[in-house]
């Protein structure tokens, strides 16, 4: 055994032991992909795939982290294509059952990319869409800073992201780095896997210098782990500086071409175009030494890496980024090959690798022998990294069924939303857990009242110089609003991490974000990422639709309702009336607060049974008369009405009561801001002897899901599906329907199928423009006259 080396980060390690471990990690990661592709008959002829080269690139970095650096509270985001390395490490640590090793990319098996909700071995951050998983730890650290300030310090976590160098091409990376909300997070470390390759090509060298400057300019601590110890020793020798200069100046494409060569061919390629002094310096080095020397990169040198980690650890007041130079396909015959991104080793190459590592077919899947120093080291690390169970703090949160909001005059859902939040900020069992955020639209989305009461979060107190009587922008550690720059990506990444605080920071929160509705789409990938990760939050898209008429087409959202309806783990809600919003918002908060432990989902998709995710409220600035809702309250009583509002829809006007016998019935189904036109149309139809019942759909999503649930159940059990109760109670009779929505007409057009009746769907199917509400509604057939005509058309289709 070698002498123990002490890394500055306090863990003493045996370099030979760590090297043995990383060889085994490399083997297992490579073989996991190999087995998935060569041992499983999927029966469909579709390539299984996997990334041996991308994985190999991170083997040393991840061995250093998990076997000599991390502590139990630390949280790590692993580059998507290195998932086999993560699983190999968890297996060696004893956290993953051996039976999983042959299941990469199989149904119910290890996921192709790390997944919080689908992998069995404790993934901290899902990754897959490059850039997003990398940025997530930054927002998790911002969340921790918030949690520590409000609820007392948690045991310190380091939030680490392992990202591919080409991930830095993604704009969301730079939006995250630039936002003041992520400023000064000293517990963050990003490790960039600088293998100078992306999917298609070798990345030009100049990019790396530029990226480093961008991080520096944003206040990050930038470190390079570029050359390994052997190369550094060579640079230190007399005349060695010219060697460094030559390698530094060499284009990446040239340098990268060295890896695929036989040692005897490396000299000629390496010295191609080199000055005489470099030729002379290398003359004294044999071919067998030269090849490993000139490709000795610090990203595969455990000592260099651990030193760099420690250096970053010492930075307490700013995030660090470590550029670790690596080799894509390190230790494999495909090393450095520009086309190696999806390359797989042949069975012969696998056999050779197995033999070279002293393994046999009988021992290849074994863990490290517990009787050896490597096995003992792994056991000790398993113990050190064991996580303490969550403390369940914050479970005392109690959300009322409603705030008792009164709305005597016409009011918009956006204004009601602001008032409900203010009211909740006065409710002791709710207030501490509420945290709001917005990308520079807090005041224009009615968060000002909440902000006036709770303040803006800043980890250091900041004096406000404003004397604005309407908005007190006081910033300090007590603030409960996190203000972001104009980045909808950052909004959804932050909401995602606030919505995972119960897991990653042991503190349930009630996160509420606001965004102009059209720009939900600007952050959509991060929205999807966050809900895919299991986050629970509320987002209000407001104002929405062509109803914000004078603002014009660039601000008028049309397809967002469809997005909300179709996104899994998101419940889409668009109420028309203030009290309905009150009940729905409180109901959503109750669902978030009640959410239990994470569940690993290997179930069959389709027809979700429960709402365990996030909520998307689509709101408007159009004030509408609240009397019709008050009338429905009087007619139905709060208990029944509330149940129906929460279920997705109720009869706002019931024509049955006063229609003459034989009057043809029709349903006018409105959602959101268009309700006044729907009511006017119903009255006009009544005058013409048509019994028009008005249904207010508060959540097309909940109705659709209820319908789908019964359908799917019917499909799976081969029985005839029935119309679900939520739809039946709003539509007791069989009659044609007209759906009216300030959103794409498609969002509610399924209702005809669900009810088995003729349907005409009115909605916004072209881009809007400036004008008055009346102008815009007329242009998109949302005016009462068009609704009347649509009802007549629907009746004629019977
Ligand atoms: C948003 C997104 N776009 C494209 C891809 C497809 N893709 C997967 S890996 C990759 C290249 C990644 O290169 P790099 O980050 O350098 O990783 P390496 O494999 O070199 O370690 C691309 C384009 C993706 N996964 N996500
Ligand atoms: Mg790369």
């Amino acid at each position: 055994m070698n002498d123990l080396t002490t890394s500055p980060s306090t863990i003493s390690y045996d370099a030979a032991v760590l090297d043995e471990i990383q060889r085994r990690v490399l083997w297992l990661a490579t073989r996991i992909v190999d087995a998935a592709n060569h041992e499983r008959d999927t029966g469909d002829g579709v390539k299984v795939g996997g990334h041996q080269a991308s994985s190999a690139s991170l083997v040393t970095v991840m061995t250093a982290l998990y076997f000599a650096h991390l502590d139990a509270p630390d949280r790590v985001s692993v580059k998507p294509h290195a998932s086999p390395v993560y699983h190999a490490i968890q297996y060696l640590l004893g956290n993953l059952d051996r039976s999983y090793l042959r299941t990469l990319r199989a149904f119910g098996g290890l996921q192709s990319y790390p997944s919080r909700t689908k992998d069995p071995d404790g993934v901290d951050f899902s990754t897959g869409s490059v850039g997003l998983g990398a940025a997530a730890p930054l927002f998790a650290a911002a969340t921790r800073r918030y949690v520590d300030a409000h609820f007392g310090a948690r045991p310190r976590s380091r939030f680490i992201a392992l990202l591919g160098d080409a991930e830095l091409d993604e704009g969301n990376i730079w939006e995250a780095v630039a936002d003041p909300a992520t400023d000064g997070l000293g517990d963050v470390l990003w490790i960039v896997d600088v293998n100078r390759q992306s999917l298609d090509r070798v990345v030009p060298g100049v990019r790396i210098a530029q990226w480093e400057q961008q991080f520096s300019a944003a206040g990050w601590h930038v470190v390079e782990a570029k050359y390994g110890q052997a190369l550094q020793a060579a640079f230190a020798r007399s005349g060695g500086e010219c060697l460094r200069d030559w390698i530094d100046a060499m284009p990446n494409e040239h340098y990268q071409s060295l890896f695929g060569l036989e040692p005897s061919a490396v000299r000629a390629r390496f010295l191609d175009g080199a000055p005489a002094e470099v030729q002379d310096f290398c003359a004294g080095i044999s071919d067998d030494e030269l090849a490993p020397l000139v490709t000795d990169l610090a990203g595969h040198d455990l000592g260099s890496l651990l030193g760099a980690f420690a250096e970053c650890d010492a930075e307490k007041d700013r995030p660090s980024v470590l550029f670790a130079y690596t080799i894509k396909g390190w230790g494999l015959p495909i090393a450095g090959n520009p086309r190696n991104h999806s390359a797989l080793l042949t069975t012969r190459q696998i056999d050779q690798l197995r033999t070279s590592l002293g393994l046999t077919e009988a021992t290849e899947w074994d863990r490290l022998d517990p009787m050896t120093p490597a096995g003992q080291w792994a056991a000790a690390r398993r113990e050190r990294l064991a996580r303490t169970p969550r403390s369940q703090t914050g479970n005392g949160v109690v959300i009322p069924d409603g705030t008792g909001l009164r709305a005597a005059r016409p009011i918009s859902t956006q204004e009601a939303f602001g008032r409900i939040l203010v009211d909740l900020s006065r409710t002791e069992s709710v207030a501490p857990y509420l945290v709001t955020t917005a990308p520079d639209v807090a005041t224009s989305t009615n968060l000002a009242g909440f902000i006036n009461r709770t303040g803006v979060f800043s980890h250091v107190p900041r004096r406000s110089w404003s004397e604005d009587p309407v908005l007190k922008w006081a910033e300090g550690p007590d603030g409960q609003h996190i203000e972001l720059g104009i980045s909808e990506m950052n909004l959804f990444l932050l909401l995602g991490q606030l919505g995972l605080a119960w897991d990653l920071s042991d503190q349930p929160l009630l996160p509420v974000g606001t965004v102009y509705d059209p720009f939900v789409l600007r952050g959509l990938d991060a929205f999807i990422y966050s809900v895919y990760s299991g986050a629970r939050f509320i987002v209000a898209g407001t104002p929405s639709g062509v109803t914000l008429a004078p603002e014009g087409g660039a601000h008028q959202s049309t397809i967002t309702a469809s997005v909300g309806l179709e996104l899994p783990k998101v419940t889409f809600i668009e109420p028309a009336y203030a009290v309905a919003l009150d009940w729905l918002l409180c109901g959503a908060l109750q669902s978030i607060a009640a959410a239990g432990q994470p569940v690993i989902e290997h179930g069959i998709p389709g027809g979700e049974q429960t709402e365990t995710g996030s909520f998307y409220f689509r709101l408007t600035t159009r004030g509408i008369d609240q009397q019709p809702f008050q009338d429905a309250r009087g007619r139905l009583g709060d208990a029944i009405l509330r149940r129906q509002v929460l279920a997705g829809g109720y009869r706002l006007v019931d024509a049955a009561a006063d229609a003459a016998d034989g009057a043809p019935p029709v349903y006018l189904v409105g959602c959101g801001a268009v309700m006044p036109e729907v009511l006017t149309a119903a009255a006009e139809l009544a005058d013409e002897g048509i019994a028009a019942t008005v249904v207010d759909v508060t959540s097309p999503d909940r109705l659709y899901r209820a319908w789908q649930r019964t359908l799917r159940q019917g499909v799976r059990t081969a029985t005839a599906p029935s119309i679900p109760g939520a739809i039946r109670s709003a539509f007791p009779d069989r009659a044609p329907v007209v759906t009216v929505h300030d959103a794409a007409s498609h969002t509610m057009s399924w209702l005809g199928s669900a009810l088995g009746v003729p349907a005409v769907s009115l909605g916004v199917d072209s881009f809007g423009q400036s004008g008055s509400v009346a102008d815009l509604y007329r242009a998109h057939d949302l005016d009462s006259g068009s609704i009347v005509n649509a009802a007549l058309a629907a009746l004629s289709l019977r």
Side-chain angles (χ1 to χ4, degrees):
M1 203 193 222
N2 291 0
D3 289 341
L4 285 181
T5 311
T6 303
S7 104
S9 51
T10 71
I11 294 177
S12 304
Y13 64 93
D14 179 330
V17 164
L18 283 193
D19 188 55
E20 184 183 342
I21 293 174
Q22 74 160 334
R23 301 278 160 194
R24 190 65 73 91
V25 171
L26 173 66
W27 164 252
L28 285 171
T30 309
R31 185 74 174 92
I32 283 171
V33 178
D34 176 65
N37 283 274
H38 296 134
E39 289 183 8
R40 237 180 15 238
D41 180 12
T42 56
D44 55 18
V46 173
K47 182 188 107 171
V48 176
H51 301 88
Q52 291 171 329
S54 299
S55 291
S57 186
L58 270 182
V59 160
T60 315
V61 168
M62 288 177 68
T63 302
L65 274 179
Y66 283 89
F67 289 92
H69 184 69
L70 295 179
D71 270 315
D74 296 335
R75 299 284 182 255
V76 184
S77 167
V78 176
K79 173 185 91 169
H81 303 77
S83 73
V85 182
Y86 178 78
H87 297 305
I89 287 174
Q90 293 307 323
Y91 171 66
L92 291 178
L93 289 171
N95 299 328
L96 179 70
D97 193 78
R98 181 178 172 136
S99 60
Y100 275 103
L101 298 178
R102 286 179 146 106
T103 68
L104 182 73
R105 299 181 166 226
F107 192 73
L110 299 176
Q111 299 301 297
S112 42
Y113 309 118
S115 169
R116 282 180 51 81
T117 54
K118 300 227 164 38
D119 274 323
D121 46 358
V123 167
D124 292 325
F125 299 94
S126 297
T127 60
S129 175
V130 297
L132 295 174
L138 194 58
F139 292 96
T143 297
R144 176 65 64 85
R145 180 159 70 184
Y146 179 90
V147 166
D148 285 350
H150 284 80
F151 302 93
R154 293 342 192 207
R156 178 184 175 226
S157 297
R158 289 168 294 187
F159 291 91
I160 298 171
L162 303 171
L163 54 153
D165 42 1
E167 291 195 61
L168 296 179
D169 289 337
E170 288 287 1
N172 86 272
I173 290 278
W174 301 105
E175 291 181 39
V177 164
D179 200 292
T182 65
D183 212 26
L185 290 164
D187 290 334
V188 169
L189 168 61
W190 282 10
I191 303 173
V192 184
D193 177 3
V194 188
N195 57 29
R196 302 160 305 287
Q197 289 185 238
S198 58
L199 192 157
D200 283 336
R201 61 168 181 164
V202 175
V203 177
V206 62
R207 309 233 42 206
I208 295 163
Q210 182 192 330
W211 286 328
E212 291 183 353
Q213 286 169 22
Q214 288 177 195
F215 277 109
S216 286
W220 285 50
H221 169 232
V222 181
V223 181
E224 273 196 350
K226 191 167 185 182
Y227 298 122
Q229 288 164 2
L231 255 185
Q232 289 191 32
F235 296 154
R237 293 211 309 265
S238 160
E241 265 309 304
C242 69
L243 181 66
R244 176 199 285 273
D245 294 344
W246 175 236
I247 298 179
D248 274 345
M250 185 177 286
N252 280 347
E253 295 84 342
H254 182 178
Y255 186 71
Q256 219 56 13
S257 74
L258 301 174
F259 297 113
L261 299 177
E262 289 299 317
S264 56
V266 167
R267 182 183 308 271
R269 178 73 61 82
F270 178 69
L271 294 175
D272 190 345
E277 45 181 354
V278 180
Q279 313 252 5
D280 292 347
F281 187 85
C282 294
I285 305 171
S286 75
D287 282 356
D288 282 346
E289 287 170 327
L290 189 68
L293 177 68
V294 298
T295 56
D296 174 38
L297 296 180
H300 296 293
D301 179 350
L302 289 155
S304 298
L305 286 172
L306 288 166
F309 296 167
E311 188 188 329
C312 296
D313 251 2
E315 285 291 322
K316 300 291 180 223
D317 299 325
R318 53 183 177 154
S320 293
V321 56
L322 168 62
F323 284 79
Y325 280 65
T326 57
I327 299 168
K328 190 158 176 169
W330 175 76
L332 303 179
I334 52 177
N337 185 322
R339 304 287 307 139
N340 67 8
H341 186 74
S342 318
L344 297 175
L345 266 61
T346 63
T347 302
R348 242 190 75 161
Q349 289 171 323
I350 287 285
D351 290 343
Q352 282 165 353
L353 183 64
R354 183 191 297 112
T355 307
S356 76
L357 294 168
L359 294 165
T360 67
E361 283 187 29
T363 60
E364 62 175 346
W365 293 112
D366 286 357
R367 290 201 171 90
L368 296 158
D369 180 350
M371 304 309 286
T372 62
Q376 285 158 9
W377 186 258
R381 289 299 295 166
R382 172 197 166 99
E383 220 165 283
R384 177 135 183 191
L385 294 176
R387 290 191 171 155
T388 44
R390 276 182 288 275
S391 62
Q392 302 296 316
T393 45
N395 280 356
V397 51
V398 182
I399 321 273
D401 285 348
T403 63
L405 181 79
R406 269 180 235 269
R409 59 178 173 83
I411 180 174
S412 69
T413 46
Q414 179 176 304
E415 187 188 344
F417 169 79
R419 280 171 50 186
I420 295 162
L421 279 182
V422 169
D423 211 86
L424 289 172
S425 75
R426 294 198 186 97
T427 310
E428 226 171 277
S429 63
V430 187
Y433 308 100
L434 282 172
V435 48
T436 62
T437 179
D440 198 27
V441 292
T443 47
S444 49
T445 56
N446 276 67
L447 284 181
F450 181 83
I451 291 172
N452 278 340
R453 281 192 49 80
T454 62
V456 177
F457 178 70
S458 160
H459 61 290
V460 286
R462 288 219 181 96
R463 183 165 168 194
S464 166
W465 295 94
S466 160
E467 284 164 13
D468 184 342
V470 181
L471 181 67
K472 296 198 287 279
W473 197 267
E475 292 189 42
D478 296 338
Q480 285 179 241
H481 171 78
I482 302 176
E483 180 72 358
L484 294 165
I486 317 172
S487 162
E488 290 73 20
M489 275 283 179
N490 286 349
L491 170 76
F492 284 107
L493 283 172
L494 178 59
L495 279 174
Q497 294 309 311
L498 292 169
L500 286 172
W502 53 274
D503 183 31
L504 298 177
S505 285
D506 196 12
Q507 177 58 59
L509 296 173
L510 299 171
V512 179
T514 62
V515 54
Y516 286 0
D517 195 58
F519 309 134
V520 165
L521 301 175
R522 187 89 182 240
L524 184 55
D525 204 13
F527 191 179
I528 294 170
Y529 170 80
S530 292
V531 292
Y532 172 72
S533 298
R536 294 152 186 164
F537 57 83
I538 287 172
V539 63
T542 186
S544 61
V546 294
T547 304
L548 80 153
E551 279 287 324
H555 275 54
Q556 294 165 351
S557 59
T558 60
I559 64 167
T560 49
S562 317
V563 166
L565 189 151
E566 287 168 26
L567 250 185
K569 295 240 170 251
V570 171
T571 299
F572 173 74
I573 294 172
E574 185 168 352
Y577 294 103
V579 172
L581 172 64
D582 190 18
W583 294 341
L584 287 157
L585 196 55
C586 288
L589 289 169
Q590 286 170 346
S591 161
I592 290 172
Q597 298 293 309
V599 198
I600 299 300
E601 302 157 355
H602 284 147
I604 300 164
E608 292 198 356
Q609 297 303 309
T610 47
E611 286 176 353
T612 54
S614 294
F615 295 84
Y616 169 12
F617 286 79
R618 191 168 182 263
L619 307 179
T620 174
T621 42
R622 184 188 194 195
I624 66 171
D625 176 19
Q626 303 290 307
Q627 193 53 44
F629 188 80
Q630 291 304 108
D631 296 345
R633 283 177 98 170
R635 198 177 77 239
L636 295 168
D638 272 11
I640 292 177
L641 182 58
R642 181 171 179 276
R643 188 154 36 82
Q644 294 187 358
V645 161
L646 291 182
Y650 64 95
R651 270 168 286 150
L652 180 64
V653 172
D654 198 343
D658 16 67
D661 278 354
V666 67
Y667 285 110
L668 302 186
V669 188
C671 181
V674 293
M675 210 52 74
E677 282 65 27
V678 177
L679 287 166
T680 306
E684 286 173 18
L685 285 165
D687 288 347
E688 294 184 28
I690 293 169
T693 291
V694 176
V695 175
D696 173 10
V697 169
T698 51
S699 169
D701 192 1
R702 282 182 173 155
L703 291 187
Y704 182 77
R705 229 182 308 156
W707 178 46
Q708 283 299 310
R709 235 184 342 252
T710 61
L711 284 188
R712 296 289 178 98
Q713 211 171 349
V715 168
R716 284 176 191 160
T717 56
T719 52
S722 54
I723 293 182
I727 296 184
R728 182 47 73 218
S729 56
F731 302 89
D733 302 315
R734 203 178 163 78
V737 295
V738 174
T739 66
V740 191
H741 195 182
D742 180 1
S745 63
H746 188 231
T747 320
M748 293 211 293
S749 61
W750 52 271
L751 205 50
S753 287
L755 296 166
V757 298
V760 175
S761 290
L762 300 178
V764 181
D765 298 323
S766 55
F767 289 121
Q769 58 182 303
S770 298
S772 66
V773 173
D775 292 336
L776 270 295
Y777 280 14
R778 241 189 333 268
H780 295 279
D781 305 323
L782 299 174
D783 57 309
S784 59
S786 298
I787 299 170
V788 166
N789 289 346
L792 299 175
L795 283 164
S796 75
L797 291 171
R798 272 183 304 173

